[in-house]
Amino acid sequence: MKNTVDLFRIFQHEQKRVGDSMTVYYNIEENSLQYKNAKGTLTVIFHASDAGEDFYYQKFGELVSENGKKLGILVQKTYHNGQNAHLFQNPMTGGLKMFEIPQEFIDIARAYQFDRESIGLKGETA
């Protein structure tokens, strides 16, 4: 099932929203956005099946592979257009918790749950 999120439009919106604080990349093949700065990378993968997103964090300079993906550690999943979320604690990383991630990445992840309109996701059917 193809995701109906307009990834390029969201990418353009996010570039403006985060400004110079990070670089935003999009990958149409992976249906994902990446937010990068000197502290690390937050990768957001969009899913049509549950109208949600997976969030992976990778600290700058570290290469962490989880489930064969070199995206970092899964730290959050959202479902039903942000109406539900699950935060993860992964024992493989010594217990990386969402609050151990730099605040700017937490703010981005929270916007996907609580302020989807600011990202340009209001009304999207992910």
Side-chain angles (χ1 to χ4, degrees), residues 39-42 56-60 62-65 70-73:
K39 296 177 185 176
T41 302
L42 183 72
Y56 292 86
Y57 175 72
Q58 183 138 305
K59 187 175 179 180
F60 182 77
E62 291 183 1
L63 184 59
V64 178
S65 178
K70 294 181 181 177
L71 300 172
I73 299 300

Side-chain angles (χ1 to χ4, degrees), residues 16-74:
K16 292 176 189 169
R17 189 177 76 87
V18 299
D20 294 334
S21 65
M22 5 197 114
T23 303
V24 182
Y25 300 93
Y26 79 102
N27 183 327
I28 197 75
E29 294 298 319
E30 297 293 326
N31 210 28
S32 66
L33 290 179
Q34 284 190 324
Y35 300 82
K36 293 185 177 192
N37 68 14
K39 296 177 185 176
T41 302
L42 183 72
T43 301
V44 181
I45 300 175
F46 297 86
H47 297 287
S49 61
D50 58 9
E53 301 87 23
D54 292 348
F55 298 79
Y56 292 86
Y57 175 72
Q58 183 138 305
K59 187 175 179 180
F60 182 77
E62 291 183 1
L63 184 59
V64 178
S65 178
E66 184 174 287
N67 297 329
K69 296 182 180 185
K70 294 181 181 177
L71 300 172
I73 299 300
L74 181 65

